[in-house]
Structure formats: structure tokens, C-alpha cells
Amino acid sequence: MTADDIKTAAKRHRRAALAGGLIGLLLLVGYIGYEYAMTPARPDLHAARASDIVAYIDDQRGLCKLPRIEEQKFLHKWREVVMADSRKKDDLRTCLADMKDQDRKSFFESMFKYGKRAFLDDAKLYSRMSRDDQYAFLRKKITEYREQLLFMKDVAEGLAGEFKGSQDDFQRWVVEHSTPEERALGEPYVDALKHVRAQIKKEQRARASTSLPVDAGG
């Protein structure tokens, strides 16, 4: 091969590389544009209709695309906003009650997916804590989980067939629908929550017994 042949081949390869790079860039731009166009906007929790928020939560390009901490902040704020406004409660109840069975089931599965993810994140955080910090953390989380359960039972009447049971029922569901690695993380956390809940119930019974009126008539 002569020097001219080498130069010609090099030019040909450069043109091919440039063409390939340009096509790759165009495909990337097209993909980014498609993702942007198909990603729903995050709804304003104070102004949006319940149907728009429910659709965003259930959309595979919606809430689940946010970073984990933003996802949980959104759900927490949504519960706060709804529980503080009777009209929003009614709007959400109506939305869920009017959904087709398949859509309601899909939304239910999305809510459990987010709940499971948050629960396992809590379990991971708990496993890394010192024993001195664990008890206060468990009490705080028991209150949070109770509020979440009350929200679903109070507001989501349209999901009455799905959202049954107690904290124990949901946490058992999480463990049963987890990988072996997730179960190894979640089971000790579930046991610790049960233990602290039992302690809290004892405390409540003790307070109730000391507050009973004394029978003066003897």
C-alpha cells in the first residue's frame, strides 16, 4: 500500500467516523427529546385535581423517575395537603371510586411499591444506627406508619378492597414480596417494630388504668 493509499483510507475512515458520530448524536438528542416530551409535569399539590395527581403517581415516567428522597417528600406532602382540606378529600375519594378496576389495581400496586421502597430504606437506616438511637427511631416510625395507614383508610374508600389490615399486615406483605436480601434487611426491622408497638400498648393501658375515676362509694 502506497502513502497515497494510506491517506485515502484514513480520510475514508474519518468520514465514516464523523458520520457515525453525527448519527449517534442525533439519536441521543431524539431520545432525550422523546423522554422530555413523554415525562409528565409534576402536579401542583395545592392546585391540581386528584385525577392528575393519581395519574402522575401511577405513571411509569412520573413520580418513580424522581430521586428517592423527592419521591417520598411528594407523597408526604400530598397526604398533608389532602388531609387538611375536606374538598380535596372528597375529590380524591370520588376519583378513586370512579376509576376502572384495572386502573385502581394499578394505582394500588404503585402505592405499595412506593411504600415498600420507603419501608426498606427505613430498615436500612435502622440497621446502621446505634442501639441508643434505635428506640426513638422506631417510635417515630410507628407514628408515621399509623398516619399513612389512616390516610388510606380515611380517604381511599375506593380502595377499600385493597387497603385492609394493620401495620403488621402491610409489613408482612413487604417481607413476603421481597428478595432474600431484602428479607434479611426487613425481618429484623419488622420484629423490632412489633416489640416497640407492644411496649407502647402497655404504656397506653397503664395510663388509662391510672386515669380511671375512683369509686368514692367503696
Side-chain angles (χ1 to χ4, degrees), residues 99-106 162:
M99 289 173 74
K100 295 179 181 178
D101 290 344
Q102 187 58 41
D103 293 338
R104 190 183 301 112
K105 177 178 173 58
S106 175
E162 283 81 351

Side-chain angles (χ1 to χ4, degrees), residues 4 10 23 41 47 53 67 76 91 123-124 145-146 160 198 218:
D4 289 338
I23 291 172
I53 297 172
H76 180 75
D91 187 24
K124 186 180 296 183
Y145 299 151
R146 184 189 307 121

Side-chain angles (χ1 to χ4, degrees), residues 118-128 137 145 185-186 189:
F119 185 79
L120 290 174
D121 282 347
D122 290 342
K124 186 180 296 183
L125 184 58
Y126 168 80
S127 70
R128 295 173 177 172
F137 178 78
Y145 299 151
L185 180 66
Y189 184 54

Side-chain angles (χ1 to χ4, degrees), residues 139-207:
R139 291 187 72 104
K140 175 187 174 185
K141 286 300 171 180
I142 286 169
T143 299
E144 287 183 15
Y145 299 151
R146 184 189 307 121
E147 290 172 352
Q148 292 169 13
L149 194 61
L150 288 174
F151 167 77
M152 295 312 304
K153 289 185 173 181
D154 179 37
V155 175
E157 294 177 356
L159 296 173
E162 283 81 351
F163 284 91
K164 290 181 177 178
S166 63
Q167 290 188 47
D168 283 340
D169 295 321
F170 171 73
Q171 289 157 15
R172 190 180 305 113
W173 181 93
V174 168
V175 170
E176 290 173 353
H177 292 77
S178 297
T179 65
E181 292 79 10
E182 290 171 338
R183 281 195 294 275
L185 180 66
E187 285 176 342
Y189 184 54
V190 168
D191 290 341
L193 287 166
K194 287 180 180 178
H195 179 69
V196 173
R197 269 200 300 272
Q199 286 185 280
I200 292 173
K201 288 179 180 178
K202 287 181 181 178
E203 293 170 5
Q204 291 171 340
R205 286 196 294 268
R207 285 196 298 270

Side-chain angles (χ1 to χ4, degrees), residues 25-96:
L25 179 60
L26 290 173
L27 288 173
L28 177 61
V29 170
Y31 174 77
I32 293 172
Y34 175 79
E35 285 289 308
Y36 180 79
M38 295 301 293
T39 298
R42 191 187 310 192
D44 183 327
L45 292 172
H46 292 280
R49 298 174 300 174
S51 57
D52 294 333
I53 297 172
V54 166
Y56 177 74
I57 290 172
D58 195 35
D59 196 313
Q60 293 304 304
R61 298 177 183 274
L63 181 61
C64 62
K65 289 293 188 179
L66 295 183
R68 189 74 58 88
I69 189 169
E70 291 299 317
E71 172 188 294
Q72 294 306 318
K73 282 181 179 179
F74 180 92
L75 291 171
H76 180 75
K77 185 64 178 178
W78 177 53
R79 287 193 296 269
E80 281 188 343
V81 170
V82 171
M83 294 302 284
D85 189 328
S86 59
R87 288 175 299 180
K88 289 191 178 298
K89 279 187 183 182
D90 291 340
D91 187 24
L92 180 55
R93 287 186 181 120
T94 300
C95 169
L96 295 174

Side-chain angles (χ1 to χ4, degrees), residues 5-19:
D5 291 336
I6 293 173
K7 290 180 181 179
T8 300
K11 288 179 181 179
R12 190 182 305 116
H13 286 308
R14 278 200 299 270
R15 286 197 295 269
L18 287 172

